Amino acid sequence: MEVDSTPVVQVDPKGDVILELTLHGGMKRLLVSSKILSMVSPVFAAMFSSQFKEGLHNTTPGIVPTVSLPEDDAITFEIICNVVHFRHKYVSVDLPCEQLINIAVTVDKYELREAVYTYSVLWLVSAIKRCTDQPLVIWSQLLFVCYVLDTPAEFAKISWEIVLYHVGPYISLSAITDHVLISHSMLAELDTRTVKLHSALLDAINRVLLKPQQAQCDYKGRIVADYLECLSSKGLFPLTNILQEKSLIAICNKLANTEPKRFRCGQRQCAFCNDRKFTFSGFFRDWKDTVFGPQFGICLDCVKTGRESLRKKECRVEHA
């Protein structure tokens, strides 16, 4: 009889079943506990039922039975098995985005969300820190991972980054629109959030343009005209067109650093012209700090329930 010489990784040295998995065209074998896997996964619970165990090949007395999982990635499965078998020193929290996607798909397949939830949060928090300068396609992939692993706080944070930096229709982000595991549309929530922020920005522009109306002199119109000319020279006017061409963060950063040469009438009674504290750029820096402070994009629970969770006040991350 031919004996399989592939080394066995002893995830559980006292394990009672070997999982055979695909590894770069070859195979990897993991010795695991069917009891632990059955406790954390209803899929494995069914797989390791007494009726199924009778059908496992290699049931010779004294030889550990083997289950072949050829469609599953060995590296991903070893990470998950280490997590659920409490082998924490073998689990890294710094995983690349592609690995997180594989984990999310496997977790969904075997219904392991609760079992790996703590590590899901750790993996995503680490990924957020490491992906600061990464393109939006990476952020959209991380948003997919959050959706599948069901991590609401990280979902809100990552979706905020996408809202800030994306330009154009969100449908271009295939990671959150085309995957079979995305059963709820995020596009409507992303569009709604973006429209609200654009409206708030336009309102802020209107409010700052009203500030010169407080001037008690004849130069109100000149002050407004000078500011609009300054905005135009920076490519920020008319703003309704710019909102379709530039990211929200790029527009707000420019507004917070755009200041026209200030005209002052010199009349002692004019409160506006004599106000040394007010600046147009300072107004937008304060506005940005207030509006951007919460760093909240969209709510995972609202996406999955069609906002029913908000109506019932059941969202896990508080928001308006």
Side-chain angles (χ1 to χ4, degrees), residues 194-205 207 284 287 291:
T194 301
V195 168
K196 285 184 177 180
L197 286 168
H198 284 180
S199 297
L201 181 56
L202 290 170
D203 179 67
I205 289 281
R207 283 190 287 123
F284 280 105
W287 179 87
V291 176

Side-chain angles (χ1 to χ4, degrees), residues 72-317:
D72 296 311
D73 175 65
I75 295 175
T76 299
F77 231 93
E78 186 173 1
I79 292 171
I80 292 174
C81 285
N82 282 334
V83 169
V84 301
H85 283 76
F86 303 102
R87 286 165 40 101
H88 302 305
K89 69 178 181 179
Y90 298 101
V91 184
S92 172
V93 296
D94 298 321
L95 299 180
C97 188
E98 285 188 9
Q99 187 65 70
L100 292 178
I101 292 173
N102 289 338
I103 288 175
V105 172
T106 303
V107 165
D108 178 82
K109 179 178 179 179
Y110 291 97
E111 300 180 35
L112 288 158
R113 286 180 185 82
E114 290 188 14
V116 303
Y117 182 79
T118 298
Y119 270 100
S120 295
V121 173
L122 292 174
W123 288 325
L124 285 161
V125 168
S126 174
I128 290 170
K129 291 178 181 177
R130 288 182 285 109
C131 290
T132 303
D133 298 321
Q134 294 297 311
L136 277 179
V137 64
I138 300 297
W139 286 98
S140 66
Q141 289 171 351
L142 289 177
L143 195 64
F144 164 79
V145 173
C146 289
Y147 176 91
V148 177
L149 295 181
D150 198 39
T151 55
E154 293 66 40
F155 186 89
K157 168 65 176 173
I158 291 170
S159 59
W160 174 245
E161 295 294 323
I162 292 175
V163 167
L164 279 187
Y165 288 94
H166 186 66
V167 179
Y170 289 108
I171 198 169
S172 62
L173 300 175
S174 60
I176 59 174
T177 57
D178 296 341
H179 202 285
V180 66
L181 294 184
I182 301 291
S183 56
H184 306 85
S185 175
M186 300 181 202
L187 301 184
E189 287 293 325
L190 285 169
D191 285 336
T192 298
R193 183 75 170 113
T194 301
V195 168
K196 285 184 177 180
L197 286 168
H198 284 180
S199 297
L201 181 56
L202 290 170
D203 179 67
I205 289 281
N206 289 331
R207 283 190 287 123
V208 81
L209 290 176
L210 289 174
K211 291 291 287 186
Q213 300 304 315
Q214 300 172 7
Q216 297 166 307
C217 65
D218 298 328
Y219 295 99
K220 302 175 185 179
R222 176 174 175 176
I223 296 169
V224 171
D226 286 350
Y227 183 55
L228 292 178
E229 183 179 350
C230 186
L231 291 181
S232 182
S233 69
K234 300 285 187 178
L236 292 171
F237 189 80
L239 192 60
T240 50
N241 295 337
I242 305 302
L243 289 172
Q244 308 304 319
E245 301 168 0
K246 297 182 182 295
S247 68
L248 185 63
I249 189 66
I251 295 171
C252 291
N253 284 342
K254 273 195 172 185
L255 286 169
N257 289 281
T258 298
E259 188 68 34
K261 186 176 180 180
R262 186 70 178 270
F263 177 82
R264 301 186 188 278
C265 66
Q267 298 179 29
R268 187 175 298 178
Q269 74 274 16
C270 183
F272 179 80
C273 289
N274 288 308
D275 185 355
R276 302 287 174 175
K277 295 182 179 179
F278 173 80
T279 62
F280 291 98
S281 56
F283 174 91
F284 280 105
R285 283 194 293 272
D286 292 342
W287 179 87
K288 180 184 169 187
D289 289 344
T290 301
V291 176
F292 288 13
Q295 297 188 335
F296 184 92
I298 59 175
C299 172
L300 178 58
D301 294 314
C302 285
V303 168
K304 290 188 173 183
T305 66
R307 296 215 153 199
E308 187 64 24
S309 58
L310 182 60
R311 288 188 283 272
K312 293 182 177 181
K313 298 182 179 181
E314 294 176 350
C315 296
R316 288 168 290 177
V317 178

